[in-house]
């Protein structure tokens, strides 16, 4: 699937990664001045091995979009923006946040974002700024998708898991369409090889006959929002037909009794009827799981953004636990992390969110609660917002409520490359260098037994007027007055003398000045950074990550070929093809479990109680007013969150069509290309219809990331397509994680002349 464009001249190629999804495939790009004119997969990349999808090819639409921000901006009382210099901007942003902190305390301030699909170093630096300025709350997009699963993982395993789809005998995708959305390396290659291998099987649970479902052996085409019934029935069959591996469960798990009892009570025939899947197909799927040597399961938004989402996360994990598919090739495993995406330490004992009292999973306020917290009449309401590398006004539920919330804030600042829907409502906007103009990496390192990380060097100079985030945060932290150059001077000298000297000096300095640990990223940038190769200073915090990796996973780091943390760090800084930083044994997958007794804990009492009540839960949330279910935000071949704003990027489906089944289209009297008004409890919008026979009757879908304002060079700003969150509300959400029901929005459709 490697794409080779052949321009007339052959430019020098620079190794970097694609930033459009969490896979971050290694690519080689050719430049003509500042234009990216050639893109091809990097065959030497440790993880992607030359694989890319079609989206990487037109990455220049990210790098060279019209309307790049090139100066810090201040909003004036009349709503216009004035360009200001960096010194003024840094001083005023710090003063503004200080003012809110002085009047209302750090609990009235929230930091949102800290990285998208290709950039996570800014999150490490953002943490320093957050602490330097006393911003107490934080959140990011994970708190509207993955916190329910994280809560379950915390309770069952105390850590995050990886599925080995490259080798699994049976791969299961629950509300996940890896053909379009990826989520593991070389996704399309892997899906095709499973389909071509008679000894392996793929099970897909999805109401739509997706590109992935087309390759599956068993497609369980559930009615939207009924996965809890489907997955409970699968687990019920495993228990009721005595297909569970009882010896394995006895040896490796705790708390299985209440779970087995509840699953033995599941009325499989009735649950099959409720989810709309033929009972015999469901039983075949369960038997296939039980017969397999290895099973790997991946869930994603199709269930994370719908009814019973946290319960479904739990039930899907029971499927592979019941058949003992853990810690072996092709199965589920734990894995190492360079910097973990979640903190599982307090699972089940999370602090309560202000106002709502809901749990704050992994330290992140549920995204749906943020605008409510701003608009609340409450002493602990939010009054200041610091947004970095995210566009919450567009990407979180209820854009209208978000606009009202932005207007109520005493202070707001956005760091971005573009004048986004969020930036346009902020008091200050700080322009950052793009992801190809600075050193970057992501912490999406989730593989096993080999785990990889790719640090990339800048391939272009920063756009004039912009700064890389490490420098922005260093200046903010400095302005906040928490850096003392006298304290840093010996560290700088030690860094110049050598790594051992630096490590010793740092340990001493942090002992003498414990406050410095909180702004560690900036301290490393300012002291170790200058000793790194040109352009790489921003990667200095990874030195600390390498030390941590060595401390936690020394054997695996050494097995990957690194004698010391410094060797690992140097490799990350030098190697443009990525680095295998840990090489584990399957036994180590057990030791990385992080539960009290070292066993997998099956009994999540709250969710077992939900399972017991499931028979009484509603099956259908449609009403006569809203007779359709809209999935608002589908991943397609031409979507990439809100990273690319230029609609010309999309070679097909520029408008982002509303997919509708042939029968529904006929009943409404719309044809492909016709216009349809979509109305939900949250709002109304007009979309272009696409009659699509992969859709179930009663189910329609709109793509994610559409409806972004974009002004082509010299042209007028225009939004193309429907912005999905003009149609969503914050109130329909998961009771545990507060995650929105974006895949399950009751809607009404009317043809528009
Ligand atoms: N092309 C592309 N790839 C991307 C992204 C992108 O914007 N574009 N974004 C990235 C990000 S941030 C993420 S989180 C991932 C998300 O990746 P996915 O979760 O795979 O993407 P979606 O298409 O949003 O939803 C997956 C599936 O859920 C199905 N679905 C809808 N309702 C239900 C239901 O009730 N039950 C079940 N079982 N399924 C249902 C849809 O039909 C769809 O096929 O993609 C990543 N990759
Ligand atoms: N209705 C509905 N809403 C959804 C979804 C859905 O399925 N349906 N999907 C949700 C999901 S899973 C996710 S992950 C979110 C994603 O939504 P967000 O978390 O908002 O993230 P992105 O869309 O990836 O936006 C990244 C931002 O980073 C900016 N950016 C790019 N490069 C840089 C850089 O180098 N530095 C800085 N500072 N900024 C940069 C981009 O211009 C963009 O504004 O959307 C969610 N929203
Ligand atoms: S969009 Fe994702 S899968 Fe496609 S090339 Fe980019 S990183 Fe790879
Ligand atoms: Mo996401």
């Amino acid at each position: 699937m490697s794409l080779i464009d052949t321009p007339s001249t052959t430019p020098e190629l620079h190794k970097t990664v694609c930033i459009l999804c969490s896979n971050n495939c290694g690519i080689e790009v050719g430049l003509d001045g500042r234009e990216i004119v050639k893109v091809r997969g990097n065959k030497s990349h440790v993880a992607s091995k030359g694989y890319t999808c079609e989206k990487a090819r037109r990455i220049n639409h990210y790098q060279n979009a019209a309307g790049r921000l090139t100066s810090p901006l201040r909003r004036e009382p009349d709503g216009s923006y004035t360009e200001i210099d960096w010194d003024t901007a840094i001083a005023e942003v710090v003063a503004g946040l200080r003012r809110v902190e002085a009047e209302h305390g750090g609990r009235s301030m929230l930091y949102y974002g800290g990285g998208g699909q290709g950039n996570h170093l800014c999150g490490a630096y953002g943490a320093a700024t957050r602490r330097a300025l006393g911003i107490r709350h934080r959140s990011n997009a994970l708190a509207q998708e993955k916190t329910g699963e994280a809560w379950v993982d915390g309770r069952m395993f105390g850590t995050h898991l990886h599925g080995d789809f490259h080798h699994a005998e049976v791969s299961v995708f629950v509300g996940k369409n890896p053909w379009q959305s990826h989520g593991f390396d070389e996704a399309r290659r892997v899906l095709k090889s499973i389909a071509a291998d008679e000894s392996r099987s793929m099970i897909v649970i999805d109401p739509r006959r997706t590109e992935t479902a087309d390759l599956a052996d068993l497609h369980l085409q559930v009615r939207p929002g009924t996965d809890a019934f489907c997955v409970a029935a699968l687990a019920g069959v495993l228990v009721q037909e005595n297909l569970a591996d009882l010896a394995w469960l006895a040896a490796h798990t705790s708390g299985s009794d209440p779970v087995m009892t509840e699953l033995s009570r599941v009325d499989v025939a009735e649950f099959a009827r409720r989810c709309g899947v033929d009972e015999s197909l469901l039983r075949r799927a369960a038997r296939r799981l039980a017969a397999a040597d290895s099973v790997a399961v991946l869930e994603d938004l199709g269930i994370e953004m719908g009814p019973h989402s946290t319960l479904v996360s739990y039930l899907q994990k029971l499927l592979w636990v019941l058949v003992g598919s853990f810690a072996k090739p092709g199965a589920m495993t734990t894995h190492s992390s360079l910097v973990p995406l979640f903190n599982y330490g307090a699972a089940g004992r999370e602090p309560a969110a202000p106002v709502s009292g809901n749990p704050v999973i992994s330290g992140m306020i549920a995204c749906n609660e943020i605008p409510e917290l701003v608009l609340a009449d409450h002493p602990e309401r939010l009054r200041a917002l610091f947004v970095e590398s995210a566009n919450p006004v567009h990407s979180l539920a209820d854009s209208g409520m978000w606009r009202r919330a932005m207007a109520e804030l005493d202070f707001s600042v956005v760091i971005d490359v573009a004048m986004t829907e969020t930036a346009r409502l902020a008091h200050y906007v700080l322009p950052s260098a793009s992801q190809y103009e600075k050193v970057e990496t992501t912490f999406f390192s989730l593989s096993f037994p080999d785990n990889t990380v790719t640090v990339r060097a800048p391939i272009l100079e920063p756009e004039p007027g912009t700064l890389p985030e490490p420098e922005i945060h260093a200046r903010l932290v400095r302005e906040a007055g928490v850096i003392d150059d006298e304290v840093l001077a010996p560290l700088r000298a030690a860094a110049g003398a050598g790594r051992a000297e630096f490590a010793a000096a740092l340990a001493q300095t942090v002992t003498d000045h414990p406050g410095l640990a909180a702004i560690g990223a900036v301290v490393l940038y300012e002291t170790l950074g200058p000793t790194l190769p040109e352009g790489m200073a921003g990667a200095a915090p990874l030195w600390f990550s390498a030390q941590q990796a060595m401390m936690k996973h020394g054997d695996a780091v050494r097995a990957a070929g690194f004698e010391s943390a410094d060797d690992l760090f140097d490799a990350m800084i030098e190697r443009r093809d990525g680095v295998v930083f840990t090489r584990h044994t399957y036994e180590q997958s057990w030791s990385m479990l992080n539960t009290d007794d070292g066993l997998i804990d099956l009994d999540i009492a709250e969710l077992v109680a939900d399972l017991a009540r499931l028979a009484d839960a509603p099956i259908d949330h449609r009403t006569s007013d809203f007779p359709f279910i809209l999935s608002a935000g589908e991943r397609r071949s031409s979507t990439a969150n809100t990273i690319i704003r230029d609609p010309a990027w999309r070679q097909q489906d520029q408008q982002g069509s509303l997919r509708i089944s042939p029968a529904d289209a006929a009943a409404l009297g719309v044809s492909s290309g016709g216009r349809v008004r979509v109305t939900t409890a949250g709002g109304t919008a007009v979309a272009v219809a696409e009659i699509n026979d992969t859709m179930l009757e009663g189910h329609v879908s709109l793509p994610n990331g559409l409806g972004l304002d974009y002004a082509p060079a010299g042209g007028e700003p225009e939004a193309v397509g429907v912005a999905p969150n003009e149609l969503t509300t914050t109130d329909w959400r998961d009771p545990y994680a507060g995650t929105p029901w974006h895949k399950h929005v009751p809607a009404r459709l009317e043809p528009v002349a």
Side-chain angles (χ1 to χ4, degrees):
M1 197 66 32
S2 166
L3 290 158
I4 305 197
D5 279 359
T6 319
S8 45
T9 55
T10 311
E12 183 198 347
L13 293 179
H14 304 266
K15 288 182 176 178
T16 181
V17 306
C18 170
I19 58 151
L20 295 180
C21 87
S22 61
N23 273 75
N24 304 128
C25 298
I27 54 175
E28 298 181 279
V29 304
L31 298 172
D32 180 359
R34 291 184 65 87
E35 300 287 317
I36 298 176
V37 293
K38 172 175 176 147
V39 177
R40 70 178 193 197
N42 174 5
K43 292 201 169 100
S44 338
H45 190 266
V46 288
S48 59
K49 304 183 178 81
Y51 177 94
T52 69
C53 76
E54 65 279 12
K55 292 191 293 300
R57 190 171 167 217
R58 289 157 62 80
I59 197 74
N60 193 45
H61 286 263
Y62 161 76
Q63 172 58 33
N64 285 302
R68 262 292 288 283
L69 292 169
T70 53
S71 166
L73 302 172
R74 174 178 60 214
R75 196 171 77 213
E76 305 299 345
D78 67 358
S80 66
Y81 281 90
T82 309
E83 294 195 353
I84 52 178
D85 62 54
W86 273 103
D87 287 347
T88 308
I90 296 289
E92 292 186 10
V93 166
V94 170
L97 287 163
R98 280 267 185 257
R99 229 171 13 248
V100 177
E101 207 244 354
E103 280 175 38
H104 304 286
R107 292 188 177 283
S108 67
M109 313 201 284
L110 182 137
Y111 172 92
Y112 184 82
Q117 301 289 297
N119 55 326
H120 292 169
L121 277 178
C122 60
Y125 285 95
T129 292
R130 185 157 48 82
R131 293 168 187 142
L133 290 167
I135 301 174
R136 293 295 289 275
H137 293 302
R138 71 180 176 92
S139 191
N140 64 45
L142 292 169
Q144 49 92 63
E145 49 176 328
K146 302 279 177 290
T147 32
E149 180 176 45
W151 188 80
V152 171
D153 283 340
R155 295 283 287 267
M156 293 179 82
F157 316 102
T159 188
H160 193 262
L161 301 179
H162 168 255
D164 182 7
F165 302 97
H166 285 68
H167 305 103
E169 183 178 328
V170 177
S171 295
V172 186
F173 300 112
V174 192
K176 170 78 194 170
N177 180 13
W179 184 272
Q180 294 300 7
S181 68
H182 293 82
F184 50 91
D185 293 326
E186 309 172 89
R188 292 176 185 175
R189 280 184 191 161
V190 170
L191 297 174
K192 283 196 277 193
S193 69
I194 298 173
D197 186 341
E198 298 227 320
S199 67
R200 302 174 67 193
S201 301
M202 193 196 309
I203 300 174
V204 169
I205 305 181
D206 197 306
R208 185 167 93 79
R209 202 187 74 240
T210 59
E211 298 79 355
T212 308
D214 266 335
L215 294 172
D217 300 271
L218 300 169
H219 177 202
L220 309 186
Q221 197 168 13
V222 287
R223 283 197 205 102
T226 62
D227 297 80
F229 301 106
C230 178
V231 184
L234 288 170
V237 173
L238 290 176
V239 171
Q240 294 167 26
E241 293 192 11
N242 294 318
L243 299 171
D245 188 340
L246 299 180
W248 191 90
L249 289 173
H252 296 298
T253 68
S254 62
S256 63
D257 284 354
V259 181
M260 302 293 274
T261 303
E262 209 43 65
L263 288 173
S264 69
R265 292 183 183 141
V266 166
D267 184 340
V268 174
E270 170 60 12
F271 278 23
R273 191 188 64 73
R274 287 175 174 230
C275 67
V277 178
D278 187 58
E279 184 188 341
S280 63
L281 182 64
L282 227 148
R283 287 187 186 275
R284 259 175 65 205
R287 289 170 197 152
R288 183 68 188 92
L289 292 175
D293 279 338
S294 58
V295 173
V297 186
L298 188 60
E299 66 163 61
D300 215 335
L301 305 182
I303 64 106
E304 289 170 352
M305 293 183 166
H308 305 291
S309 57
T310 300
L311 176 61
V312 181
S313 296
Y314 175 56
L315 293 170
Q316 64 88 350
K317 283 163 209 289
L318 291 178
L319 293 180
W320 59 261
V321 173
L322 285 171
V323 300
S325 185
F326 183 71
K328 57 185 179 182
M332 302 298 298
T333 58
T334 55
H335 63 82
S336 56
S337 297
L338 203 56
V339 173
L341 294 176
F342 297 98
N343 160 22
Y344 295 94
R349 302 183 293 276
E350 296 84 1
V355 187
S356 74
N358 291 332
V360 176
I361 299 171
S362 194
M364 294 178 275
I365 301 255
C367 295
N368 276 31
E369 292 189 16
I370 299 171
E372 296 174 353
L373 271 173
V374 176
L375 297 170
D377 182 12
H378 192 278
E380 280 207 12
R381 80 174 191 84
L382 287 178
R383 296 172 190 268
L385 191 61
F386 193 123
V387 178
E388 175 160 27
S389 195
N391 185 5
V393 170
H394 189 280
S395 64
L396 298 187
D398 200 338
S399 295
M401 184 187 251
W402 262 93
R403 287 188 286 267
R404 291 197 300 283
M406 292 296 289
E408 282 301 311
L409 289 167
D410 295 353
F411 188 84
S412 54
V413 54
V414 170
I415 305 181
D416 206 295
V417 294
M419 196 66 177
T420 65
E421 287 68 16
T422 310
R424 209 169 303 123
L425 300 171
H427 294 108
Y428 289 86
V429 184
L430 304 180
S432 86
S434 86
Q435 296 184 47
Y436 295 111
E437 298 168 349
K438 65 195 171 207
V439 58
E440 257 301 355
T441 186
T442 74
F443 303 134
F444 290 133
S445 40
L446 316 170
S447 297
F448 186 93
D450 284 7
N451 204 352
T452 69
V453 59
T454 309
V455 177
R456 48 195 210 267
I459 58 172
L460 288 160
E461 289 294 317
E463 182 81 18
T466 70
L467 290 175
E469 287 92 341
E471 183 59 30
I472 298 177
H473 288 290
R475 292 186 188 192
L476 289 170
V477 167
R478 214 162 244 294
E479 178 72 20
V482 293
I483 286 187
D484 182 339
D485 277 311
E486 268 178 43
V487 173
L488 295 193
L491 286 179
R492 288 205 181 92
R499 291 283 170 69
E501 289 82 348
F502 179 70
L506 186 67
Q508 189 57 50
T509 307
V510 174
T511 310
D512 297 343
H513 308 274
L516 280 188
I519 56 159
V522 167
V523 171
L524 289 166
Y525 172 71
E526 295 237 350
T527 56
L528 184 62
T531 69
L532 300 178
E534 171 84 29
M536 301 301 276
L542 295 174
W543 178 83
F544 181 72
S545 310
Q547 309 286 327
Q548 295 269 297
M550 192 50 128
M551 246 161 59
K552 283 196 233 153
H553 311 289
D555 288 347
V557 173
R558 277 184 290 274
F562 303 107
E563 282 312 311
S564 70
D566 277 307
D567 287 352
L568 169 58
F569 176 63
D570 288 335
M572 289 196 278
I573 296 295
E574 282 158 22
R575 293 192 202 163
R576 295 287 77 84
D577 295 326
V579 175
V580 173
F581 72 93
T582 48
R583 176 158 291 161
H584 284 279
T585 64
Y586 282 88
E587 293 73 54
Q588 287 166 350
S589 183
W590 284 108
S591 53
M592 284 190 283
L593 274 181
N594 194 16
T595 52
D596 292 343
D597 52 10
L599 301 172
I600 295 173
D601 191 354
L602 257 52
D603 183 18
I604 303 183
E606 299 93 318
L607 295 176
V608 176
D610 282 0
L611 174 61
R613 285 191 295 261
L614 193 55
D616 303 321
I619 310 174
D620 201 331
H621 294 91
R622 291 175 296 177
T623 60
S624 52
D625 258 2
F626 297 120
F628 288 89
I629 290 298
L630 166 71
S631 283
E634 187 175 71
R635 270 66 188 163
R636 296 183 185 168
S637 152
S638 53
T639 71
N641 287 358
T642 70
I643 304 162
I644 297 193
R645 306 183 67 84
D646 179 358
W649 175 66
R650 294 190 291 279
Q651 287 180 304
Q652 287 154 6
D653 195 24
Q654 273 219 3
Q655 297 281 331
S657 57
L658 177 87
R659 288 181 172 158
I660 181 168
S661 75
D664 287 332
L668 278 174
V670 294
S671 45
S672 277
R675 296 184 335 136
V676 181
R677 180 175 302 285
V678 186
T679 305
T680 66
T684 179
V686 173
V688 174
E690 175 197 308
I691 299 177
N692 187 304
D693 68 2
T694 67
M695 299 302 293
L696 268 187
E697 273 176 53
H699 186 209
V700 293
S701 77
L702 280 168
N704 70 314
L706 272 280
L708 297 167
D709 273 351
Y710 185 75
E716 287 298 306
E718 196 195 347
V720 176
V722 176
N725 292 310
E726 299 295 342
L727 297 171
T728 60
T729 59
T730 60
D731 49 354
W732 284 37
R733 59 187 176 210
D734 183 75
Y736 295 92
T739 42
W741 288 15
H742 288 333
K743 304 296 158 184
H744 204 82
V745 183
R748 176 167 69 242
L749 305 181
E750 292 147 308
V752 179

